[in-house]
Amino acid sequence: MILFSYPTLFGLADNNPYGLKIFAFLKLCGLPFEHRHILDASSAPRAQLPYLTDNDQTIGDSDAIVAYVTKRYDVPLDGALSPPQRDMGHLIGRMLDDLYWVMSYSRWKDQQFWPQFRDAMLQQHPELTAGALDSARDYNFKRYHYQGIGRYDAEAAYARGIADLSALGNLLGDRSYLFGAAPGSVDAAIYGFIANIYHFDIDTPLKAYLRTRPNLVAHCAAMHALVT
């Protein structure tokens, strides 16, 4: 299998939460795979990263990848989950989809943090140019507008993300992982997002809030140790 995803940043295997989710999921499964970092997503399914190739199969969308790998390789990772737990995992995934837009907003749209994100990308990936990042920023502005988050002021946008993180911290409680002593695919998804906030050397309101939720930080640290 080959995982195609965005480049690394700040010590993470992918600076996009969905790519990091799949990286962590495959690591938890113990399956061998090659990880290729790319920037051009035009050849990907629906022109989105990450995607996975497995011999003659090409699978896009992180949830579809998890479902494919689980079935194809008879992965037992989530085998003991009850139907309510599976439903909860589904709902958390949809909440993380909401959090994605706020996290992305903090990098590309918020003028307070954009220069730090741009400069970090340019420093770690010299093949990039400032012009290319400016073009990507313009493209993201259009996405944010049509999705809706781009019409929020910064305070209101971050309030949405902090509400998501608060709910996630409350659901995790004092457990090591969401559904027990061992991590599952939902923990890989949570890690993809929390790590891409907490490990970034950019002090956004989302990261500041995470510092007040030690259970989420501990979950991130435990997952990071397992998959890196």
Side-chain angles (χ1 to χ4, degrees):
M1 291 186 292
I2 304 173
L3 171 63
F4 295 85
S5 75
Y6 285 111
T8 62
L9 194 63
F10 296 128
L12 297 177
D14 191 323
N15 81 93
N16 178 279
Y18 296 104
L20 188 58
K21 163 188 170 178
I22 296 304
F23 173 85
F25 170 73
L26 293 174
K27 287 285 190 176
L28 291 179
C29 292
L31 296 171
F33 68 99
E34 179 184 347
H35 194 183
R36 295 185 188 176
H37 297 287
I38 63 175
L39 286 165
D40 183 2
S42 60
S43 62
R46 293 181 295 279
Q48 292 180 313
L49 298 176
Y51 73 97
L52 187 80
T53 61
D54 186 20
N55 295 315
D56 61 344
Q57 299 291 314
T58 299
I59 308 96
D61 181 79
S62 63
D63 288 339
I65 293 171
V66 169
Y68 168 82
V69 171
T70 298
K71 182 177 181 180
R72 171 68 177 81
Y73 293 97
D74 195 23
V75 171
L77 201 62
D78 295 332
L81 295 185
S82 67
Q85 287 175 327
R86 294 180 186 277
D87 290 342
M88 179 60 71
H90 174 83
L91 292 174
I92 288 173
R94 293 297 179 262
M95 184 178 70
L96 293 174
D97 289 341
D98 184 83
L99 178 60
Y100 164 81
W101 291 101
V102 183
M103 188 184 70
S104 185
Y105 177 109
S106 74
R107 301 176 181 185
W108 295 94
K109 185 169 176 62
D110 191 335
Q111 186 57 39
Q112 182 179 359
F113 306 115
W114 155 248
Q116 298 173 64
F117 176 67
R118 176 199 61 207
D119 294 349
M121 289 290 286
L122 291 173
Q123 181 177 8
Q124 187 156 343
H125 300 287
E127 71 276 14
L128 292 174
T129 65
L133 289 177
D134 285 340
S135 295
R137 191 182 191 213
D138 289 341
Y139 171 72
N140 279 324
F141 274 33
K142 295 181 177 68
R143 295 171 67 228
Y144 301 154
H145 177 79
Y146 289 114
Q147 188 274 339
I149 196 67
R151 308 180 202 196
Y152 285 63
D153 62 33
E155 184 177 358
Y158 291 126
R160 287 186 65 92
I162 288 170
D164 291 335
L165 292 172
S166 175
L168 188 60
N170 293 342
L171 289 170
L172 179 62
D174 60 2
R175 296 187 297 274
S176 297
Y177 302 106
L178 191 68
F179 296 131
S185 63
V186 69
D187 296 288
I190 292 168
Y191 167 71
F193 281 81
I194 300 302
N196 262 296
I197 297 170
Y198 189 73
H199 279 257
F200 265 41
D201 192 20
I202 300 173
D203 199 18
T204 69
L206 299 178
K207 182 172 181 177
Y209 179 76
L210 278 180
R211 293 196 189 98
T212 73
R213 302 303 299 255
N215 62 336
L216 291 177
V217 174
H219 180 280
C220 180
M223 286 294 299
H224 193 67
L226 283 175
V227 303
T228 57

